[in-house]
Amino acid sequence: MEKTSAAKNGEVLSRSALRRQREREERYQTILKAAESMFVKEGYHQTSINKIADLAEVSVGTVYFYFKNKEDLLIQLLDEISYLFRSRVGAEFRNADSTLEGFMNAGHMFFDEFCNKYPEKVAIMYRESIGQSPLVDQYREKLHNKSIQDISAALKRMSENMNFRFPSEESIEVIAVCIMGIYQNIASHYMVSKERPKNLEKIGRNAVSFLVGGIRDMCGLR
Amino acid sequence: MEKTSAAKNGEVLSRSALRRQREREERYQTILKAAESMFVKEGYHQTSINKIADLAEVSVGTVYFYFKNKEDLLIQLLDEISYLFRSRVGAEFRNADSTLEGFMNAGHMFFDEFCNKYPEKVAIMYRESIGQSPLVDQYREKLHNKSIQDISAALKRMSENMNFRFPSEESIEVIAVCIMGIYQNIASHYMVSKERPKNLEKIGRNAVSFLVGGIRDMCGLR
Amino acid sequence: MEKTSAAKNGEVLSRSALRRQREREERYQTILKAAESMFVKEGYHQTSINKIADLAEVSVGTVYFYFKNKEDLLIQLLDEISYLFRSRVGAEFRNADSTLEGFMNAGHMFFDEFCNKYPEKVAIMYRESIGQSPLVDQYREKLHNKSIQDISAALKRMSENMNFRFPSEESIEVIAVCIMGIYQNIASHYMVSKERPKNLEKIGRNAVSFLVGGIRDMCGLR
Amino acid sequence: MEKTSAAKNGEVLSRSALRRQREREERYQTILKAAESMFVKEGYHQTSINKIADLAEVSVGTVYFYFKNKEDLLIQLLDEISYLFRSRVGAEFRNADSTLEGFMNAGHMFFDEFCNKYPEKVAIMYRESIGQSPLVDQYREKLHNKSIQDISAALKRMSENMNFRFPSEESIEVIAVCIMGIYQNIASHYMVSKERPKNLEKIGRNAVSFLVGGIRDMCGLR
DNA sequence: TATGAATGAGAGTTCATTCAT
DNA sequence: CATGAATGAACTCTCATTCAT
């Protein structure tokens, strides 16, 4: 009894179990969202678990039921953000058929879409997760490296496709690191501040121009 | 009594006063250096004033005699670092007679000299001073903006001198922010890690090529 | 319907009721056993109800259905242990026909049988139930006193039977307390430790010799 | 200046330094004594650091300035108690010129002096320090073993002096463990309880008789 | 000036217990 | 009966800061 209508084997869950699972998921997200808001507004160390619990309208104990500890909150947040970043921005690097356009699309995706839609996530990624704890730093670095590899791979494919060579062995990775640096600093400088400038689009376009120019110049394209 | 032999007016100090002043200066620097070491090794929040006092071989009270509070230590450190950065790297921007060479020199100065000589300062600048407290963030931003302005000024002078125009109004500042982003990420990625790679020079050169290429391309140079 | 075939009056239970009762008994024992294991392995205060529930493969709520609270678990455990102790060791005191042999048999029963068979129960009795909470202490003392009385009664019967007198009024009880002390300390010292010595039998025999010697000497026997 | 009158070399401390050192010592003892009282009255786990600080009339921070943590308080207490025990009771074992009298003196010293004078220390030793934490247990065992060795050594000397042999190799240690067990249980049963019986002396004498009788019987003395 | 003991607010975390489902 | 998510009081411990000496 109390099975879903499609119940055909032991794997299905009862309705109430399904509802409970859904509620769990929601609670988890509510708490994570509250942590994100607080971290961005007041800073990771200035935010106490109590404040997060208050904002999420749960008890402290509940926060600890869903997350191992405070660090874990930040790490889960980073995870989520990294996934979002790679599935939006990273996808552009991967999809574009190995031309410079891919880099332009990725840039616009990041500056116009990502930063606009998720300014809080950008703040977490580029401010609140830096230098807060060894474990977080370590985790952040791991995720950062993945993005570097995404970009490096795109550069490699492009060089093969367009038949040109990079000046030296390490060029590819260095360029990738430079691009990520540009993303980070443009985002930190313009997108996260309280009063965002109105010409964000132009800023993004300029930044993309700059980084594409860098690639072009280094590869002797055009 | 106890005046220097050259005592001719009220401005001169007695010998003991001079010694005391010198000692004060030394103490100040000892403490600041200890703070720097600890912040880099263990992180700002993980470092207690007691640990800093221990390393500096003074009492906690003495630390508070020379510095207003813990935040002040980080701010003074930032100040010192920023001064050093601007007097070394920024100088290259200002000195170079308004050609692209200035940007190359500045880049090499930063990657080959600055990062090599002061890895701890780089760590403070790009890791320990981010997202630790509103006041520090604010201060950091101010210093950051100064550098942006240094670079912007150099770009402007260059455009006037070489008689070219930037694509749009905001281009100059965006480029400056991009350059700073490249500095930051290359430094963070390669220079601060435990085991620094051996081909640091090449990495620096590649990064400089990339950013100079970006400028070149945007300005239609060459 | 669903009655046992022998159902002749209202006292008999239906089959399913019987099964349920049996299952209840089993659950109760499973949980109690899990608590015992955890208390011994990690200590009473270091063991959470959650851990016990996990080990017993039931939910926390179920633990609270069978036991009033955490203290109750320890008290029920003590009860069980005390019952076992009195029905094994105490029986020897009562059965032996009022000679010293009874004390020897009891001793061997305790050291060779009881400690060997139930090292965990010994650990609960002599380590985990001491100084954990006022109520437990109080309960423990009550059970302890019962054993003292068992031994005292045996001593009294022996003195009447063998026609000798104890040096003073309080001698009997004091001897009983001494004997229990010997039991406790020998057990704690040798039987509970991680690596039990191999000559346990000899140790037990020596301890019994010692305590019997004490009785003998005090009563002028032999 | 501000040296003690006997100041003759650099080792002496100034008067104020001496006073501060004395005050430190006093504070340490005050806190330790407060912990002892609370542990005995309410039990180790039921006692919070706050309560100890309150009783000692210092702040929580001060407790942590003098002691590493709560466990440390108990361990320091154990240390102090063990030192006292060995310097009072253990001394009797060592001093007595290798006859049974030494064991009697030690017994009386323990029951009549030690338990009477320091009932709280007895409670700590035999109740509050058992099964509270692995580290404490471990420490307690170490101290316990020292006492076992003291007694064993006394037994050995006695056997050499009075020219008799113990029934088996392990007899000596077993007897020592038995004696400690008697001490513990007599003390726990009679000396620690709220309403101590009036015939404590007689109880002690009986216990001593019992244990001496045990030794005598095992060694074939008399 | 220098010291370092003292402070105490506040943090993170645990866990016995409850109760709606 | 069984479940397990939710609670929140209570705990231990840290540490920036002060101040009498």
Side-chain angles (χ1 to χ4, degrees), chain D residues 24 27 58-59 61-62 65-66:
Chain D
R24 262 190 74 134
R27 271 260 208 278
V58 297
S59 68
T62 300
F65 183 80
Y66 286 95

Side-chain angles (χ1 to χ4, degrees), chain C residues 94-204:
Chain C
R94 289 191 293 275
N95 292 342
D97 49 321
S98 310
T99 64
L100 271 173
E101 230 163 305
F103 287 84
M104 293 163 79
N105 291 339
H108 294 135
M109 177 55 95
F110 179 69
F111 294 119
D112 300 346
E113 285 278 316
F114 197 89
C115 290
N116 244 318
K117 218 163 168 182
Y118 313 112
E120 299 208 322
K121 299 201 188 303
V122 172
I124 295 283
M125 188 161 55
Y126 292 141
R127 199 181 61 213
E128 298 312 323
S129 66
I130 296 181
Q132 306 293 6
S133 92
L135 204 70
V136 172
D137 274 357
Q138 194 184 312
Y139 200 80
R140 202 190 108 91
E141 203 183 323
K142 217 178 74 191
L143 300 178
H144 188 250
N145 284 338
K146 274 194 199 162
S147 291
I148 301 290
Q149 279 159 28
D150 281 353
I151 303 181
S152 294
L155 287 167
K156 200 163 220 167
R157 266 182 285 119
M158 196 172 72
S159 83
E160 285 160 0
N161 207 44
M162 297 175 70
N163 205 28
F164 65 84
R165 288 172 53 95
F166 287 98
S168 75
E169 215 181 318
E170 47 275 291
S171 300
I172 290 181
E173 200 191 70
V174 171
I175 294 173
V177 175
C178 287
I179 291 172
M180 287 299 282
I182 290 168
Y183 276 26
Q184 159 156 8
N185 214 32
I186 293 286
S188 299
H189 199 84
Y190 295 110
M191 317 285 177
V192 172
S193 60
K194 293 96 227 161
E195 22 168 329
R196 282 195 265 170
K198 292 146 233 153
N199 53 346
L200 279 181
E201 283 172 56
K202 277 193 180 174
I203 288 164

Side-chain angles (χ1 to χ4, degrees), chain B residues 76-94:
Chain B
Q76 296 310 321
L77 230 27
L78 266 183
D79 226 25
E80 205 190 72
I81 292 166
S82 169
Y83 174 78
L84 204 63
F85 181 85
R86 296 187 77 212
S87 67
R88 300 286 167 101
V89 184
E92 296 294 334
F93 286 119
R94 289 189 293 275

Side-chain angles (χ1 to χ4, degrees), chain A residues 24 27 59 61-62 65-66:
Chain A
R24 263 191 73 135
R27 272 261 206 275
S59 69
T62 300
F65 183 79
Y66 287 95

Side-chain angles (χ1 to χ4, degrees), chain D residues 204-215:
Chain D
R205 228 174 303 141
N206 271 290
V208 171
S209 287
F210 180 82
L211 74 86
V212 166
I215 302 173

